[in-house]
Amino acid sequence: KQWYQRRVAITAGGSFSDEAFRNSYSFINDLRSGELDTLKADLKKCRDPVKKSELVAVINRLTNEQRSRQTVLTRQNLKSENRKQAMRNIKDGKNPYFAKKSDLRRVELSQKFEKLKGEGKLDTYVAKRRKKNLQKDKKTL
């Protein structure tokens, strides 16, 4: 008989549900945001330049992780909404429409633009994207 760690063995417990995992361990995100706040407070108090640069790096890493988690969450919500809409169409006797990745990307991008427009940051975002694309074009030439 082979021994295995039951808490780690995925096959022993069945299939992995991302949504159940997020709901079960959502408190970790709260802890991370609390940690980010304490790091920012430590940064204000810190006088040592070496320690200060380390704190800045950690804060940037945590904020980037938080931002990426948020984008993943919005994508998953968009996919689940699309799936739910398709299931409603099936129940109503209509043909379901499962959106392609490109359609989902378009919707996600339009939501992002609406959010930026509401915050008043759309012009700066578009200018940065234009500058980035120009640099890419220069490299290819």
Side-chain angles (χ1 to χ4, degrees), residues 19-96:
E19 190 173 340
F21 180 82
R22 265 189 284 121
N23 291 336
S24 298
Y25 295 99
S26 62
F27 67 93
I28 292 176
N29 292 333
D30 299 334
L31 291 175
R32 283 181 178 148
S33 63
E35 181 184 1
L36 190 62
D37 293 339
T38 57
L39 285 172
K40 285 180 181 178
D42 289 346
L43 182 66
K44 286 182 181 179
K45 294 177 189 174
C46 186
R47 300 284 180 237
D48 184 25
V50 174
K51 178 117 174 141
K52 202 171 201 174
S53 65
E54 290 175 1
L55 282 174
V56 167
V58 170
I59 289 171
N60 286 340
R61 181 178 55 83
L62 287 175
T63 52
N64 287 338
E65 285 176 1
Q66 195 174 31
R67 194 176 308 119
S68 67
R69 270 193 305 276
Q70 190 63 37
T71 55
V72 166
L73 185 65
T74 54
R75 277 191 193 130
Q76 288 174 345
N77 287 340
L78 192 62
K79 280 184 181 179
S80 66
E81 279 297 316
N82 189 347
R83 237 178 269 120
K84 286 177 186 175
Q85 181 64 36
M87 293 303 150
R88 280 190 292 247
N89 285 351
I90 290 172
K91 283 183 182 178
D92 293 342
K94 300 176 185 174
N95 287 337

Side-chain angles (χ1 to χ4, degrees), residues 123-135:
D123 295 332
T124 56
Y125 176 77
V126 170
K128 283 182 182 180
R129 293 297 298 179
R130 189 175 295 127
K131 188 175 178 182
K132 185 177 178 181
N133 288 337
L134 283 173
Q135 290 298 326

